[in-house]
């Protein structure tokens, strides 16, 4: 086992080559993981990367549903993740059996079901199309006009998409435990400290927080926003890992983490379960792996491919 972080990095690169692996990392991963990854991005960019890679092994540094998404489009590849317990509060808020029951009870409505990608493969398998925060507006705009939409599981993202598209939707009552911690009070206070700053917020934030933002967008679009605005001070209202990516891509900007009422910034405990050591271990042992029942995988693949096609 390597003893220094330099050895660890070198050994991860050695194992990556031996396994013909690709390392994909979400924007919320710690800086050391982002820096060793082949690609760092949002859920949409990561799904495209997973679809396009010709590596034999995908080491997915993010949360479980993201690694599962990579497996759905790559049944014959080995998909590993540093920590199998890296879940997501949105995924937890919508168990597949509850959604199935709800859809049966409301069969007369003939819902067109749109699932935010932050959900299990079992939930994806029950939906018509998937979306991410980066393409939700586009996907909802392409939904059939003659059917009511059920949007699961994030009610905050759903509310934002309704505002953007003017399309009414029934919303599942899920939420991201990280983004609901930002409040009108905490963001107003930091704005008072930096009166000339712009505010960029993730659409998983509550409406009260979104109303204080100059831009609401996915994590990847935050990179473009920070790079392109001429304004120097930017308050970034999302998970703290985002700051590492933004600092690298927009080094001339003063990036201020959005605070909560208790803390100067906010971490996702699930995203932060992954470490460089665990990444090394999973490349070494090829465990833990994402394994999916083939029938669920196939049913989840159709709405996922529909999304990838519709958001091009
Ligand atoms: P993005 O797709 O915008 O990166 O969002 C993923 C996520 O989990 C946000 O909490
Ligand atoms: Fe899930 Fe929220 Fe963590 Fe994103 S930040 S992975 S939505 S719990």
């Amino acid at each position: 086992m390597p003893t220094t972080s330099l050895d660890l990095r070198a050994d991860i690169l050695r194992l990556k080559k031996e396994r013909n692996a690709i390392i994909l990392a979400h924007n919320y991963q710690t800086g050391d993981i982002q820096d060793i990854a082949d690609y760092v991005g949002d859920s949409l960019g990561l799904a495209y990367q997973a679809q396009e890679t010709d590596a034999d092994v995908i080491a997915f540094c993010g949360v479980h549903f993201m690694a599962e998404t990579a497996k759905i489009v790559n049944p014959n590849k080995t998909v590993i993740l540093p920590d199998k317990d890296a879940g997501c509060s949105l995924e937890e808020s919508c168990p597949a059996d509850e959604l199935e029951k709800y859809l049966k009870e409301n069969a007369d409505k003939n819902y067109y079901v749109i699932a935010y990608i932050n959900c299990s493969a079992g939930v994806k398998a029950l939906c018509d199309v998937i979306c991410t925060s980066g393409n939700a507006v586009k996907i909802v705009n392409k939904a059939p006009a003659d059917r009511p939409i059920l949007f699961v599981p994030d009610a905050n993202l759903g509310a934002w998409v309704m505002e953007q598209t003017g399309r009414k939707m029934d919303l599942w009552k899920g939420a991201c435990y990280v983004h609901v911690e930002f409040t009108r009070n905490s963001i107003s206070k930091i704005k008072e400290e930096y009166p000339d700053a712009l505010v960029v917020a993730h659409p998983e934030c509550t409406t009260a927080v979104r109303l204080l933002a100059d831009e609401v967008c996915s994590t990847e679009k935050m990179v473009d926003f920070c790079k392109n605005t001429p304004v120097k001070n930017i308050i970034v209202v999302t998970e703290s890992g985002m700051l590492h990516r933004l600092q690298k891509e927009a080094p001339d900007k003063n990036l201020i983490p959005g605070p909560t009422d208790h803390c100067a910034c906010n971490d996702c405990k699930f995203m932060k379960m992954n470490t460089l050591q665990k990444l090394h271990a999973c490349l070494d042992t090829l465990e833990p792996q994402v394994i999916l029942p083939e029938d669920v995988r196939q049913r989840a693949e159709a709405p996922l491919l529909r999304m990838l096609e519709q958001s091009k």
Side-chain angles (χ1 to χ4, degrees), residues 21-39:
I22 186 174
I23 301 174
L24 302 180
H26 185 263
N27 286 321
Y28 294 165
Q29 292 296 282
T30 51
D32 52 1
I33 292 180
Q34 291 192 28
D35 292 345
I36 207 165
D38 295 290
Y39 176 85

Side-chain angles (χ1 to χ4, degrees), residues 83 87 103 106 112 128 151 167 174 203 247 260 265:
D83 192 317
L103 290 173
N106 293 278
Y112 185 74
D128 292 286
F151 189 89
R167 183 87 192 250
Q247 252 141 25
T260 68
C265 64

Side-chain angles (χ1 to χ4, degrees), residues 137-149:
V137 169
K138 207 179 210 178
I139 298 292
V140 169
N141 276 331
K142 289 187 178 174
D146 58 348
R147 285 176 68 185
I149 297 176

Side-chain angles (χ1 to χ4, degrees), residues 72-233:
I72 292 169
V73 289
N74 286 297
N76 299 321
K77 290 193 197 300
T78 302
V79 178
I80 49 176
L81 65 167
D83 192 317
K84 66 171 176 26
D85 295 327
C88 168
S89 66
L90 274 168
E91 177 181 350
E92 278 168 21
S93 69
C94 186
D97 55 347
E98 278 182 32
L99 176 60
E100 193 170 18
K101 185 165 167 265
Y102 182 84
L103 290 173
K104 271 194 190 131
E105 284 168 3
N106 293 278
D108 57 315
K109 294 209 168 102
N110 189 26
Y111 274 126
Y112 185 74
V113 186
I114 304 182
Y116 184 34
I117 199 163
N118 296 37
C119 63
S120 65
V123 165
K124 288 184 177 77
L126 294 167
C127 295
D128 292 286
V129 68
I130 309 299
C131 73
T132 72
S133 58
N135 64 16
V137 169
K138 207 179 210 178
I139 298 292
V140 169
N141 276 331
K142 289 187 178 174
D146 58 348
R147 285 176 68 185
I149 297 176
L150 175 65
F151 189 89
V152 303
D154 190 359
N156 287 311
L157 175 71
W160 175 69
V161 176
M162 284 208 284
E163 286 165 25
Q164 298 297 304
T165 60
R167 183 87 192 250
K168 202 196 151 313
M169 307 192 290
D170 288 342
L171 305 178
W172 195 266
K173 296 217 169 352
C176 162
Y177 94 98
V178 177
H179 286 88
V180 297
E181 281 290 306
F182 301 111
T183 65
R184 192 182 157 74
N185 177 53
S186 69
I187 303 305
S188 300
K189 270 193 180 156
I190 193 86
K191 275 183 81 159
E192 275 167 31
E193 255 181 76
Y194 297 91
D196 63 340
L198 290 180
V199 176
V200 60
H202 197 274
E204 288 171 11
C205 293
T206 61
T207 305
V209 167
R210 276 193 287 105
L211 288 174
L212 298 171
D214 299 283
E215 179 73 6
V216 176
C217 60
S218 76
T219 59
E220 197 58 31
K221 289 183 184 167
M222 285 182 184
V223 176
D224 298 333
F225 178 79
C226 292
K227 270 179 167 170
N228 296 332
T229 176
V231 175
K232 191 170 169 64
N233 289 337

